[in-house]
Amino acid sequence: DTAVSQTPKYLVTQMGNDKSIKCEQNLGHDTMYWYKQDSKKFLKIMFSYNNKELIINETVPNRFSPKSPDKAHLNLHINSLELGDSAVYFCASQLTGRTGELFFGEGSRLTVL
Amino acid sequence: GQNIDQPTEMTATEGAIVQINCTYQTSGFNGLFWYQQHAGEAPTFLSYNVLDGLEEKGRFSSFLSRSKGYSYLLLKELQMKDSASYLCAVKARRNAGNNRKLIWGLGTSLGVNP
């Protein structure tokens, strides 16, 4: 079974549309993240939730709205999509403990035309 | 400011040894990670160092010197499948919200030639 799963894996849409990406983890972790990886491969943190509570909110346009219905799910909704939103969006789940290593989902590649 | 530096690209030959360096300047330090990312795939955890010294795990080893703000990832007996991007990330000090954040490097793209 996939530990961190994201849907959809690929998303092609027009500018101005609204879209959502969903993430689920079955690892029993308390903390989940959304990262954006652009064409230059830089991993940029967007949001982090711990037990459904928002704990990290980086400087992200308010067109991006995360939602965590429970600690196993973290969804990302994007309004009024722009060309610059094209990227791979990774969901990650964090193991609490000595290392705090991240377990990443396979990524959702968003292309805005 | 917070900064992590890694070489952009490296190439090596199958069977060889390669060392990928990472230097960091961060607000506080609570551990350093190395992740591997193959093209089109998610990053996967390789190693974690919080104390000075060398941590060995099979063909991969990671070294940390906190006083120098320096780490390296050592890959031995290189295989073609080791061609990937290697990301250095530092767990920095807690912010005002009492949460630690990972500061990521841009990654080193390693190409392994036959």
Side-chain angles (χ1 to χ4, degrees):
Chain A
D1 283 342
T2 305
V4 183
S5 58
Q6 298 178 224
T7 54
K9 289 188 171 44
Y10 299 95
L11 191 52
V12 181
T13 189
Q14 300 285 335
M15 272 176 52
N17 284 350
D18 304 337
K19 290 294 176 186
S20 292
I21 308 172
K22 296 185 175 183
C23 179
E24 176 182 1
Q25 55 97 0
N26 62 7
L27 297 165
H29 294 170
D30 292 330
T31 305
M32 295 180 72
Y33 298 81
W34 277 112
Y35 278 89
K36 178 182 179 181
Q37 189 171 46
D38 59 25
S39 57
K40 294 180 180 173
K41 305 301 182 188
F42 179 57
L43 262 175
K44 180 178 165 57
I45 188 170
M46 301 175 71
F47 302 103
S48 175
Y49 271 74
N50 180 273
N51 268 320
K52 303 193 295 178
E53 181 185 347
L54 181 65
I55 57 171
I56 294 177
N57 184 352
E58 291 296 288
T59 308
V60 176
N62 57 15
R63 298 182 295 105
F64 290 79
S65 51
K67 198 163 285 187
S68 181
D70 55 63
K71 72 175 191 178
H73 295 84
L74 180 61
N75 304 323
L76 183 66
H77 187 75
I78 316 171
N79 288 325
S80 304
L81 279 158
E82 300 177 358
L83 292 177
D85 297 333
S86 295
V88 181
Y89 292 84
F90 285 104
C91 175
S93 171
Q94 185 171 37
L95 173 68
T96 305
R98 187 184 83 90
T99 63
E101 69 190 81
L102 294 175
F103 292 78
F104 285 86
E106 293 179 332
S108 297
R109 181 176 292 277
L110 171 65
T111 302
V112 182
L113 304 174
Chain B
Q2 316 222 67
N3 194 49
I4 294 184
D5 284 316
Q6 311 178 228
T8 305
E9 288 183 8
M10 297 181 72
T11 56
T13 305
E14 200 173 9
I17 299 173
V18 72
Q19 177 175 311
I20 303 174
N21 296 325
C22 170
T23 57
Y24 62 88
Q25 291 175 306
T26 56
S27 301
F29 177 85
N30 199 46
L32 185 144
F33 294 87
W34 284 97
Y35 282 80
Q36 179 191 60
Q37 185 176 23
H38 284 101
E41 297 182 11
T44 55
F45 171 78
L46 285 179
S47 68
Y48 173 74
N49 294 68
V50 67
L51 300 176
D52 288 352
L54 188 68
E55 297 259 355
E56 296 187 74
K57 196 188 289 186
R59 293 189 300 114
F60 292 6
S61 303
S62 56
F63 172 83
L64 175 67
S65 169
R66 288 172 298 172
S67 61
K68 295 181 180 176
Y70 167 70
S71 171
Y72 67 73
L73 181 68
L74 192 71
L75 293 78
K76 301 176 188 174
E77 300 170 20
L78 278 174
Q79 302 175 10
M80 298 295 289
K81 67 178 182 179
D82 297 330
S83 293
S85 183
Y86 292 86
L87 300 159
C88 173
V90 171
K91 201 190 300 185
R93 178 177 295 163
R94 293 183 192 277
N95 59 20
N98 202 35
N99 299 302
R100 295 195 190 275
K101 201 168 68 173
L102 276 183
I103 311 299
W104 292 84
L106 289 174
T108 299
S109 180
L110 173 67
V112 179
N113 300 316

